[in-house]
Amino acid sequence: MNAKNFIAGGIVGGIVNFLLGWVFYAKLFPNIYPESAQTKLEFIALGCFTFGFLISYIFNKWAGISNPMTGLYAGAVIGLFNGLSMNFYIFSNKALNVQNMITDIVINIVIGAIIGLAVAFVNGKMK
């Protein structure tokens, strides 16, 4: 694994994730996860970068993905499974809202796809 590609892809993936999260969750769909006095932006940022580095690791270590269209598809699949997993956890201890669950899963697919595209683009440029 090329450490430089992994780090650069992870950083770009984290930034893209953070910005898209702001667009989707703060601007377009603010009712899915309403902001509270307990919202900690630093933990949201850490989560975004963790997911960016996860995609970068998968693309660099296991899959060798450097084509943006392949990254788009792979990121969408990872986003689908991440969205399903997170929503199963979220709704395990609160009332089920099917509309919010489906919306959030679709958002995760779109965000995952764009992160995958960005990470693959970085990988392709750094070859």
Side-chain angles (χ1 to χ4, degrees):
M1 178 173 72
N2 185 332
K4 186 170 67 170
N5 284 24
F6 166 67
I7 293 169
I11 290 170
V12 168
I15 291 169
V16 168
N17 194 3
F18 188 81
L19 294 174
L20 288 175
W22 174 75
V23 168
F24 280 105
Y25 295 113
K27 298 300 176 189
L28 297 177
F29 301 99
N31 294 330
I32 291 179
Y33 299 118
E35 190 173 339
S36 73
Q38 296 178 352
T39 300
K40 294 178 177 64
L41 199 56
E42 62 273 15
F43 283 100
I44 292 172
L46 287 171
C48 290
F49 279 94
T50 301
F51 190 64
F53 276 100
L54 172 67
I55 289 182
S56 184
Y57 185 82
I58 292 169
F59 283 17
N60 282 289
K61 179 73 173 176
W62 294 325
I65 296 174
S66 60
N67 177 299
M69 293 313 293
T70 305
L72 182 84
Y73 177 76
V77 171
I78 294 168
L80 168 66
F81 286 108
N82 183 59
L84 286 168
S85 173
M86 293 307 299
N87 277 276
F88 290 150
Y89 287 130
I90 289 167
F91 289 107
S92 69
N93 66 355
K94 69 181 204 177
L96 177 62
N97 182 328
V98 175
Q99 182 177 353
N100 278 4
M101 183 180 206
I102 292 170
T103 302
D104 188 48
I105 291 168
V106 171
I107 290 169
N108 272 275
I109 292 168
V110 171
I111 289 175
I114 297 171
I115 293 168
L117 184 141
V119 170
F121 180 80
V122 168
N123 288 344
K125 290 296 181 187
M126 295 182 73
K127 272 190 168 181

